Amino acid sequence: VPIDRKAPRSDYAKLDIAIQAAKVKVKAFVQSDKKAQALKEQGDKGNAGNENKQLTFELSKEDIAKNILALVKQRAGDLAKAASILKCLPQEFEKDEDENYHVDALFAMTNCRASNYKLEPMDWITVKLKAGRIIPALATTTSAIAALQTIELVKLIAGVSIEDHKNSFLNLSIPILTQSEPSAAPIHKLTPKLTASLWDRWEIDLGLYDDITNLATLFNHLKAFTTLDPLDCMRGNTGIYVSALMNLPNKKNEQLLLLKQPLKETLGIRNQSFVDLTITFTSQEAKLKDPKDFTIKGVPLIRLIFPNAK
């Protein structure tokens, strides 16, 4: 239906479009039993998990692309000549002038994106309202931060000293950009021969250590590596092994079963390729130094990598 370009949203234009649309003859609907059965089967399949869930039938990406190409070909004729016929000129975005079709273009692109990423579609007025709340400085800040991060990443790859790295503080509303030299991550001395920092992580590939099959063998491996005594084992906020509880006299049998239980069963592993554990340690020196708080500080996170990770 042709649109009045001078006043596309005037009452006259809307009435004219309605009159022309009323003249369009739509083919009478003829029910297809075969298609109805196919839709019913698809509906039953979609409602198997949720009876109240509404079915939506969407065009595939290939169909959408074909429709767009068909519209371009209809407008330009030969697609090879489209570049010379369909010329694009830059325009300054103005959401409050409906006649420029800026909001309409944004509305179309927004719903194309929603269709592509399975998001909820938006109506025209919602797009117009949200477009007015976009802060131009956001893109500027994002690009500036990305550039500063890239510079530091290049320095990291080049292996420069820590004095050559920079912390950046950016505020475009003032505007101001200040930089400072970062300090090194604190180093914790776990034993006379073993240190660790905040950025360290100990990884144990169980494919290389097939003798580690349960908590007991894992603790023995860690003790041999660190010369420290493992205490507690946590997975996130879940306690796997709590020494204060397991060392009680009435918990000996339970302690033995837990230590000898297969590691995957103990940690609740299904198909994960790795699991991160927080394991606390102590030593005789730490117990003598502070009998109440003898946990050694600064032990890194421990990652167990299972053979199926490769």
PDB file of all heavy atoms in Angstrom, residues 54-85:
ATOM      1  N   GLN A  54       2.219 -21.135  25.081  1.00  0.00           N
ATOM      2  CA  GLN A  54       1.673 -20.842  23.778  1.00  0.00           C
ATOM      3  C   GLN A  54       2.718 -21.138  22.711  1.00  0.00           C
ATOM      4  O   GLN A  54       3.898 -20.850  22.880  1.00  0.00           O
ATOM      5  CB  GLN A  54       1.257 -19.369  23.678  1.00  0.00           C
ATOM      6  CG  GLN A  54       0.111 -19.021  24.614  1.00  0.00           C
ATOM      7  CD  GLN A  54      -0.289 -17.581  24.441  1.00  0.00           C
ATOM      8  OE1 GLN A  54       0.374 -16.821  23.768  1.00  0.00           O
ATOM      9  NE2 GLN A  54      -1.393 -17.207  25.049  1.00  0.00           N
ATOM     10  N   LEU A  55       2.264 -21.713  21.601  1.00  0.00           N
ATOM     11  CA  LEU A  55       3.164 -22.022  20.501  1.00  0.00           C
ATOM     12  C   LEU A  55       3.326 -20.807  19.600  1.00  0.00           C
ATOM     13  O   LEU A  55       2.375 -20.059  19.342  1.00  0.00           O
ATOM     14  CB  LEU A  55       2.607 -23.182  19.677  1.00  0.00           C
ATOM     15  CG  LEU A  55       2.654 -24.560  20.334  1.00  0.00           C
ATOM     16  CD1 LEU A  55       1.926 -25.557  19.458  1.00  0.00           C
ATOM     17  CD2 LEU A  55       4.084 -24.981  20.538  1.00  0.00           C
ATOM     18  N   THR A  56       4.525 -20.593  19.128  1.00  0.00           N
ATOM     19  CA  THR A  56       4.784 -19.524  18.177  1.00  0.00           C
ATOM     20  C   THR A  56       5.451 -20.125  16.956  1.00  0.00           C
ATOM     21  O   THR A  56       6.369 -20.941  17.082  1.00  0.00           O
ATOM     22  CB  THR A  56       5.697 -18.444  18.789  1.00  0.00           C
ATOM     23  OG1 THR A  56       6.907 -19.071  19.221  1.00  0.00           O
ATOM     24  CG2 THR A  56       5.040 -17.775  19.968  1.00  0.00           C
ATOM     25  N   PHE A  57       4.985 -19.740  15.800  1.00  0.00           N
ATOM     26  CA  PHE A  57       5.541 -20.255  14.559  1.00  0.00           C
ATOM     27  C   PHE A  57       6.315 -19.115  13.912  1.00  0.00           C
ATOM     28  O   PHE A  57       5.753 -18.084  13.565  1.00  0.00           O
ATOM     29  CB  PHE A  57       4.419 -20.760  13.646  1.00  0.00           C
ATOM     30  CG  PHE A  57       3.600 -21.845  14.271  1.00  0.00           C
ATOM     31  CD1 PHE A  57       2.433 -21.549  14.963  1.00  0.00           C
ATOM     32  CD2 PHE A  57       4.025 -23.151  14.213  1.00  0.00           C
ATOM     33  CE1 PHE A  57       1.684 -22.551  15.554  1.00  0.00           C
ATOM     34  CE2 PHE A  57       3.279 -24.158  14.795  1.00  0.00           C
ATOM     35  CZ  PHE A  57       2.112 -23.852  15.480  1.00  0.00           C
ATOM     36  N   GLU A  58       7.594 -19.297  13.738  1.00  0.00           N
ATOM     37  CA  GLU A  58       8.463 -18.246  13.241  1.00  0.00           C
ATOM     38  C   GLU A  58       9.113 -18.673  11.934  1.00  0.00           C
ATOM     39  O   GLU A  58       9.308 -19.865  11.677  1.00  0.00           O
ATOM     40  CB  GLU A  58       9.544 -17.910  14.267  1.00  0.00           C
ATOM     41  CG  GLU A  58       8.991 -17.442  15.590  1.00  0.00           C
ATOM     42  CD  GLU A  58      10.099 -17.192  16.589  1.00  0.00           C
ATOM     43  OE1 GLU A  58      11.251 -17.528  16.270  1.00  0.00           O
ATOM     44  OE2 GLU A  58       9.798 -16.665  17.664  1.00  0.00           O
ATOM     45  N   LEU A  59       9.425 -17.680  11.109  1.00  0.00           N
ATOM     46  CA  LEU A  59      10.158 -17.952   9.886  1.00  0.00           C
ATOM     47  C   LEU A  59      11.587 -18.326  10.219  1.00  0.00           C
ATOM     48  O   LEU A  59      12.167 -17.818  11.168  1.00  0.00           O
ATOM     49  CB  LEU A  59      10.129 -16.722   8.981  1.00  0.00           C
ATOM     50  CG  LEU A  59       8.783 -16.341   8.356  1.00  0.00           C
ATOM     51  CD1 LEU A  59       8.921 -15.023   7.620  1.00  0.00           C
ATOM     52  CD2 LEU A  59       8.307 -17.416   7.403  1.00  0.00           C
ATOM     53  N   SER A  60      12.156 -19.182   9.416  1.00  0.00           N
ATOM     54  CA  SER A  60      13.562 -19.521   9.606  1.00  0.00           C
ATOM     55  C   SER A  60      14.423 -18.363   9.118  1.00  0.00           C
ATOM     56  O   SER A  60      13.961 -17.475   8.394  1.00  0.00           O
ATOM     57  CB  SER A  60      13.911 -20.793   8.832  1.00  0.00           C
ATOM     58  OG  SER A  60      13.785 -20.571   7.435  1.00  0.00           O
ATOM     59  N   LYS A  61      15.707 -18.367   9.500  1.00  0.00           N
ATOM     60  CA  LYS A  61      16.618 -17.304   9.072  1.00  0.00           C
ATOM     61  C   LYS A  61      16.748 -17.282   7.554  1.00  0.00           C
ATOM     62  O   LYS A  61      16.867 -16.218   6.938  1.00  0.00           O
ATOM     63  CB  LYS A  61      17.986 -17.514   9.728  1.00  0.00           C
ATOM     64  CG  LYS A  61      17.972 -17.363  11.239  1.00  0.00           C
ATOM     65  CD  LYS A  61      19.353 -17.590  11.820  1.00  0.00           C
ATOM     66  CE  LYS A  61      19.330 -17.479  13.339  1.00  0.00           C
ATOM     67  NZ  LYS A  61      20.660 -17.721  13.936  1.00  0.00           N
ATOM     68  N   GLU A  62      16.728 -18.481   6.930  1.00  0.00           N
ATOM     69  CA  GLU A  62      16.848 -18.560   5.483  1.00  0.00           C
ATOM     70  C   GLU A  62      15.650 -17.904   4.802  1.00  0.00           C
ATOM     71  O   GLU A  62      15.799 -17.170   3.817  1.00  0.00           O
ATOM     72  CB  GLU A  62      16.972 -20.022   5.043  1.00  0.00           C
ATOM     73  CG  GLU A  62      18.271 -20.709   5.434  1.00  0.00           C
ATOM     74  CD  GLU A  62      18.302 -21.107   6.898  1.00  0.00           C
ATOM     75  OE1 GLU A  62      17.244 -21.029   7.553  1.00  0.00           O
ATOM     76  OE2 GLU A  62      19.387 -21.493   7.382  1.00  0.00           O
ATOM     77  N   ASP A  63      14.447 -18.140   5.357  1.00  0.00           N
ATOM     78  CA  ASP A  63      13.240 -17.544   4.778  1.00  0.00           C
ATOM     79  C   ASP A  63      13.255 -16.025   4.912  1.00  0.00           C
ATOM     80  O   ASP A  63      12.852 -15.296   3.993  1.00  0.00           O
ATOM     81  CB  ASP A  63      11.990 -18.109   5.452  1.00  0.00           C
ATOM     82  CG  ASP A  63      11.769 -19.580   5.104  1.00  0.00           C
ATOM     83  OD1 ASP A  63      12.255 -20.006   4.046  1.00  0.00           O
ATOM     84  OD2 ASP A  63      11.120 -20.280   5.913  1.00  0.00           O
ATOM     85  N   ILE A  64      13.718 -15.539   6.074  1.00  0.00           N
ATOM     86  CA  ILE A  64      13.792 -14.084   6.283  1.00  0.00           C
ATOM     87  C   ILE A  64      14.763 -13.458   5.291  1.00  0.00           C
ATOM     88  O   ILE A  64      14.496 -12.414   4.686  1.00  0.00           O
ATOM     89  CB  ILE A  64      14.217 -13.773   7.730  1.00  0.00           C
ATOM     90  CG1 ILE A  64      13.124 -14.224   8.715  1.00  0.00           C
ATOM     91  CG2 ILE A  64      14.493 -12.283   7.907  1.00  0.00           C
ATOM     92  CD1 ILE A  64      13.506 -14.065  10.165  1.00  0.00           C
ATOM     93  N   ALA A  65      15.933 -14.109   5.106  1.00  0.00           N
ATOM     94  CA  ALA A  65      16.932 -13.592   4.168  1.00  0.00           C
ATOM     95  C   ALA A  65      16.376 -13.576   2.741  1.00  0.00           C
ATOM     96  O   ALA A  65      16.584 -12.614   1.988  1.00  0.00           O
ATOM     97  CB  ALA A  65      18.199 -14.439   4.237  1.00  0.00           C
ATOM     98  N   LYS A  66      15.646 -14.637   2.353  1.00  0.00           N
ATOM     99  CA  LYS A  66      15.057 -14.687   1.021  1.00  0.00           C
ATOM    100  C   LYS A  66      14.022 -13.585   0.836  1.00  0.00           C
ATOM    101  O   LYS A  66      13.946 -12.966  -0.239  1.00  0.00           O
ATOM    102  CB  LYS A  66      14.408 -16.055   0.794  1.00  0.00           C
ATOM    103  CG  LYS A  66      15.415 -17.195   0.630  1.00  0.00           C
ATOM    104  CD  LYS A  66      14.700 -18.519   0.445  1.00  0.00           C
ATOM    105  CE  LYS A  66      15.705 -19.679   0.327  1.00  0.00           C
ATOM    106  NZ  LYS A  66      15.012 -20.991   0.197  1.00  0.00           N
ATOM    107  N   ASN A  67      13.216 -13.308   1.864  1.00  0.00           N
ATOM    108  CA  ASN A  67      12.212 -12.242   1.777  1.00  0.00           C
ATOM    109  C   ASN A  67      12.854 -10.874   1.603  1.00  0.00           C
ATOM    110  O   ASN A  67      12.387 -10.038   0.830  1.00  0.00           O
ATOM    111  CB  ASN A  67      11.329 -12.255   3.022  1.00  0.00           C
ATOM    112  CG  ASN A  67      10.420 -13.473   3.085  1.00  0.00           C
ATOM    113  OD1 ASN A  67      10.219 -14.149   2.084  1.00  0.00           O
ATOM    114  ND2 ASN A  67       9.893 -13.765   4.262  1.00  0.00           N
ATOM    115  N   ILE A  68      13.950 -10.644   2.342  1.00  0.00           N
ATOM    116  CA  ILE A  68      14.644  -9.353   2.234  1.00  0.00           C
ATOM    117  C   ILE A  68      15.225  -9.174   0.842  1.00  0.00           C
ATOM    118  O   ILE A  68      15.110  -8.109   0.218  1.00  0.00           O
ATOM    119  CB  ILE A  68      15.752  -9.254   3.308  1.00  0.00           C
ATOM    120  CG1 ILE A  68      15.124  -9.209   4.709  1.00  0.00           C
ATOM    121  CG2 ILE A  68      16.619  -8.024   3.082  1.00  0.00           C
ATOM    122  CD1 ILE A  68      16.133  -9.252   5.832  1.00  0.00           C
ATOM    123  N   LEU A  69      15.870 -10.236   0.318  1.00  0.00           N
ATOM    124  CA  LEU A  69      16.441 -10.161  -1.022  1.00  0.00           C
ATOM    125  C   LEU A  69      15.357  -9.948  -2.072  1.00  0.00           C
ATOM    126  O   LEU A  69      15.551  -9.219  -3.054  1.00  0.00           O
ATOM    127  CB  LEU A  69      17.229 -11.440  -1.325  1.00  0.00           C
ATOM    128  CG  LEU A  69      18.560 -11.610  -0.581  1.00  0.00           C
ATOM    129  CD1 LEU A  69      19.162 -12.966  -0.880  1.00  0.00           C
ATOM    130  CD2 LEU A  69      19.532 -10.501  -0.955  1.00  0.00           C
ATOM    131  N   ALA A  70      14.194 -10.586  -1.859  1.00  0.00           N
ATOM    132  CA  ALA A  70      13.093 -10.413  -2.800  1.00  0.00           C
ATOM    133  C   ALA A  70      12.596  -8.966  -2.808  1.00  0.00           C
ATOM    134  O   ALA A  70      12.291  -8.410  -3.876  1.00  0.00           O
ATOM    135  CB  ALA A  70      11.954 -11.363  -2.435  1.00  0.00           C
ATOM    136  N   LEU A  71      12.525  -8.325  -1.616  1.00  0.00           N
ATOM    137  CA  LEU A  71      12.091  -6.933  -1.544  1.00  0.00           C
ATOM    138  C   LEU A  71      13.097  -5.998  -2.206  1.00  0.00           C
ATOM    139  O   LEU A  71      12.725  -5.050  -2.907  1.00  0.00           O
ATOM    140  CB  LEU A  71      11.895  -6.531  -0.079  1.00  0.00           C
ATOM    141  CG  LEU A  71      10.695  -7.177   0.634  1.00  0.00           C
ATOM    142  CD1 LEU A  71      10.723  -6.829   2.118  1.00  0.00           C
ATOM    143  CD2 LEU A  71       9.389  -6.725   0.009  1.00  0.00           C
ATOM    144  N   VAL A  72      14.411  -6.280  -1.996  1.00  0.00           N
ATOM    145  CA  VAL A  72      15.448  -5.457  -2.636  1.00  0.00           C
ATOM    146  C   VAL A  72      15.366  -5.594  -4.148  1.00  0.00           C
ATOM    147  O   VAL A  72      15.463  -4.614  -4.896  1.00  0.00           O
ATOM    148  CB  VAL A  72      16.846  -5.870  -2.123  1.00  0.00           C
ATOM    149  CG1 VAL A  72      17.933  -5.150  -2.907  1.00  0.00           C
ATOM    150  CG2 VAL A  72      16.977  -5.549  -0.643  1.00  0.00           C
ATOM    151  N   LYS A  73      15.178  -6.844  -4.624  1.00  0.00           N
ATOM    152  CA  LYS A  73      15.091  -7.079  -6.063  1.00  0.00           C
ATOM    153  C   LYS A  73      13.852  -6.419  -6.653  1.00  0.00           C
ATOM    154  O   LYS A  73      13.874  -5.898  -7.771  1.00  0.00           O
ATOM    155  CB  LYS A  73      15.072  -8.579  -6.338  1.00  0.00           C
ATOM    156  CG  LYS A  73      15.224  -8.930  -7.808  1.00  0.00           C
ATOM    157  CD  LYS A  73      15.376 -10.423  -8.001  1.00  0.00           C
ATOM    158  CE  LYS A  73      15.586 -10.759  -9.486  1.00  0.00           C
ATOM    159  NZ  LYS A  73      15.747 -12.212  -9.687  1.00  0.00           N
ATOM    160  N   GLN A  74      12.749  -6.411  -5.886  1.00  0.00           N
ATOM    161  CA  GLN A  74      11.515  -5.766  -6.347  1.00  0.00           C
ATOM    162  C   GLN A  74      11.715  -4.264  -6.498  1.00  0.00           C
ATOM    163  O   GLN A  74      11.177  -3.639  -7.411  1.00  0.00           O
ATOM    164  CB  GLN A  74      10.388  -6.056  -5.368  1.00  0.00           C
ATOM    165  CG  GLN A  74       9.041  -5.475  -5.782  1.00  0.00           C
ATOM    166  CD  GLN A  74       7.966  -5.757  -4.737  1.00  0.00           C
ATOM    167  OE1 GLN A  74       8.248  -6.356  -3.709  1.00  0.00           O
ATOM    168  NE2 GLN A  74       6.746  -5.322  -5.001  1.00  0.00           N
ATOM    169  N   ARG A  75      12.494  -3.668  -5.608  1.00  0.00           N
ATOM    170  CA  ARG A  75      12.721  -2.219  -5.636  1.00  0.00           C
ATOM    171  C   ARG A  75      13.778  -1.834  -6.671  1.00  0.00           C
ATOM    172  O   ARG A  75      13.608  -0.857  -7.407  1.00  0.00           O
ATOM    173  CB  ARG A  75      13.159  -1.753  -4.244  1.00  0.00           C
ATOM    174  CG  ARG A  75      13.585  -0.297  -4.169  1.00  0.00           C
ATOM    175  CD  ARG A  75      12.399   0.645  -4.203  1.00  0.00           C
ATOM    176  NE  ARG A  75      12.837   2.030  -4.229  1.00  0.00           N
ATOM    177  CZ  ARG A  75      13.175   2.720  -3.146  1.00  0.00           C
ATOM    178  NH1 ARG A  75      13.103   2.139  -1.952  1.00  0.00           N
ATOM    179  NH2 ARG A  75      13.548   3.973  -3.243  1.00  0.00           N
ATOM    180  N   ALA A  76      14.864  -2.606  -6.736  1.00  0.00           N
ATOM    181  CA  ALA A  76      15.988  -2.224  -7.588  1.00  0.00           C
ATOM    182  C   ALA A  76      16.005  -2.953  -8.922  1.00  0.00           C
ATOM    183  O   ALA A  76      16.747  -2.576  -9.822  1.00  0.00           O
ATOM    184  CB  ALA A  76      17.298  -2.489  -6.854  1.00  0.00           C
ATOM    185  N   GLY A  77      15.211  -4.014  -9.053  1.00  0.00           N
ATOM    186  CA  GLY A  77      15.239  -4.797 -10.283  1.00  0.00           C
ATOM    187  C   GLY A  77      16.393  -5.778 -10.250  1.00  0.00           C
ATOM    188  O   GLY A  77      16.340  -6.788  -9.544  1.00  0.00           O
ATOM    189  N   ASP A  78      17.449  -5.477 -10.963  1.00  0.00           N
ATOM    190  CA  ASP A  78      18.629  -6.331 -10.990  1.00  0.00           C
ATOM    191  C   ASP A  78      19.464  -6.085  -9.739  1.00  0.00           C
ATOM    192  O   ASP A  78      19.834  -4.944  -9.445  1.00  0.00           O
ATOM    193  CB  ASP A  78      19.457  -6.037 -12.245  1.00  0.00           C
ATOM    194  CG  ASP A  78      20.613  -7.016 -12.405  1.00  0.00           C
ATOM    195  OD1 ASP A  78      20.709  -7.949 -11.578  1.00  0.00           O
ATOM    196  OD2 ASP A  78      21.408  -6.839 -13.341  1.00  0.00           O
ATOM    197  N   LEU A  79      19.783  -7.139  -8.983  1.00  0.00           N
ATOM    198  CA  LEU A  79      20.549  -6.970  -7.755  1.00  0.00           C
ATOM    199  C   LEU A  79      21.937  -6.407  -8.025  1.00  0.00           C
ATOM    200  O   LEU A  79      22.534  -5.760  -7.171  1.00  0.00           O
ATOM    201  CB  LEU A  79      20.661  -8.316  -7.016  1.00  0.00           C
ATOM    202  CG  LEU A  79      19.367  -8.868  -6.430  1.00  0.00           C
ATOM    203  CD1 LEU A  79      19.631 -10.215  -5.759  1.00  0.00           C
ATOM    204  CD2 LEU A  79      18.783  -7.903  -5.415  1.00  0.00           C
ATOM    205  N   ALA A  80      22.467  -6.649  -9.212  1.00  0.00           N
ATOM    206  CA  ALA A  80      23.795  -6.121  -9.539  1.00  0.00           C
ATOM    207  C   ALA A  80      23.791  -4.599  -9.618  1.00  0.00           C
ATOM    208  O   ALA A  80      24.813  -3.942  -9.411  1.00  0.00           O
ATOM    209  CB  ALA A  80      24.273  -6.719 -10.854  1.00  0.00           C
ATOM    210  N   LYS A  81      22.599  -4.023  -9.928  1.00  0.00           N
ATOM    211  CA  LYS A  81      22.496  -2.563 -10.024  1.00  0.00           C
ATOM    212  C   LYS A  81      21.982  -1.921  -8.734  1.00  0.00           C
ATOM    213  O   LYS A  81      21.783  -0.719  -8.678  1.00  0.00           O
ATOM    214  CB  LYS A  81      21.549  -2.197 -11.164  1.00  0.00           C
ATOM    215  CG  LYS A  81      22.006  -2.708 -12.524  1.00  0.00           C
ATOM    216  CD  LYS A  81      20.992  -2.344 -13.592  1.00  0.00           C
ATOM    217  CE  LYS A  81      21.410  -2.864 -14.964  1.00  0.00           C
ATOM    218  NZ  LYS A  81      20.415  -2.532 -16.007  1.00  0.00           N
ATOM    219  N   ALA A  82      21.762  -2.751  -7.700  1.00  0.00           N
ATOM    220  CA  ALA A  82      21.182  -2.220  -6.465  1.00  0.00           C
ATOM    221  C   ALA A  82      22.064  -1.164  -5.830  1.00  0.00           C
ATOM    222  O   ALA A  82      21.578  -0.186  -5.257  1.00  0.00           O
ATOM    223  CB  ALA A  82      20.935  -3.372  -5.481  1.00  0.00           C
ATOM    224  N   ALA A  83      23.390  -1.352  -5.919  1.00  0.00           N
ATOM    225  CA  ALA A  83      24.308  -0.405  -5.281  1.00  0.00           C
ATOM    226  C   ALA A  83      24.183   0.994  -5.862  1.00  0.00           C
ATOM    227  O   ALA A  83      24.341   1.989  -5.154  1.00  0.00           O
ATOM    228  CB  ALA A  83      25.746  -0.900  -5.410  1.00  0.00           C
ATOM    229  N   SER A  84      23.912   1.085  -7.160  1.00  0.00           N
ATOM    230  CA  SER A  84      23.802   2.406  -7.789  1.00  0.00           C
ATOM    231  C   SER A  84      22.408   3.000  -7.657  1.00  0.00           C
ATOM    232  O   SER A  84      22.239   4.215  -7.690  1.00  0.00           O
ATOM    233  CB  SER A  84      24.183   2.299  -9.279  1.00  0.00           C
ATOM    234  OG  SER A  84      23.304   1.394  -9.931  1.00  0.00           O
ATOM    235  N   ILE A  85      21.402   2.143  -7.503  1.00  0.00           N
ATOM    236  CA  ILE A  85      20.020   2.637  -7.417  1.00  0.00           C
ATOM    237  C   ILE A  85      19.631   2.953  -5.977  1.00  0.00           C
ATOM    238  O   ILE A  85      19.061   4.011  -5.690  1.00  0.00           O
ATOM    239  CB  ILE A  85      19.052   1.603  -8.019  1.00  0.00           C
ATOM    240  CG1 ILE A  85      19.368   1.389  -9.499  1.00  0.00           C
ATOM    241  CG2 ILE A  85      17.601   2.041  -7.836  1.00  0.00           C
ATOM    242  CD1 ILE A  85      18.538   0.317 -10.152  1.00  0.00           C
TER     243      ILE A  85
END
